[in-house]
Amino acid sequence: GGTPGDWQQPPHCDSGGATGYDPGDRVEVVFGVDSSFNTLPDGVEAKGGGEQALARHAVAAVLNASPPYDSYEYSAAQVMALVQDAYASGYFEGAKNMLEEQNETGCPLD
């Protein structure tokens, strides 16, 4: 999977449309959580730990897990469920660590 930084770089950031997601898509709508971030780019570019770190890796993960990319460990639905569980519990680190590990296995756009 590609890292959050991979998804921020041209031409990668322009490839979001290939996944079925658009830069204007709202984090709250995509993940079904009450998030502090507006759009997917806001999430993937978030700085800091906790919710910010999860947002970075969750947005990268859902893009990595969406067609046409099919070699990601989790499905997009599984990524969303991990994020929803993290928000419900208030414990972001566990989900972030799981997604971060997969996001660092190699960018599907290279």
Side-chain angles (χ1 to χ4, degrees), residues 40-60:
L40 295 180
D42 293 336
V44 82
E45 294 172 359
K47 305 287 188 234
E51 181 189 12
Q52 291 81 9
L54 176 60
R56 281 192 305 277
H57 285 285
V59 171

Side-chain angles (χ1 to χ4, degrees), residues 8-62:
Q8 293 174 28
Q9 302 302 313
H12 298 78
C13 61
D14 298 330
S15 300
T19 65
Y21 294 101
D22 292 314
D25 289 346
R26 297 186 55 78
V27 171
E28 291 181 345
V29 173
V30 171
F31 292 99
V33 296
D34 186 17
S35 169
S36 299
F37 308 98
N38 289 321
T39 63
L40 295 180
D42 293 336
V44 82
E45 294 172 359
K47 305 287 188 234
E51 181 189 12
Q52 291 81 9
L54 176 60
R56 281 192 305 277
H57 285 285
V59 171
V62 81

Side-chain angles (χ1 to χ4, degrees), residues 82-95:
L82 282 169
V83 171
Q84 290 168 359
D85 289 347
Y87 271 84
S89 70
Y91 177 66
F92 302 112
E93 192 72 15

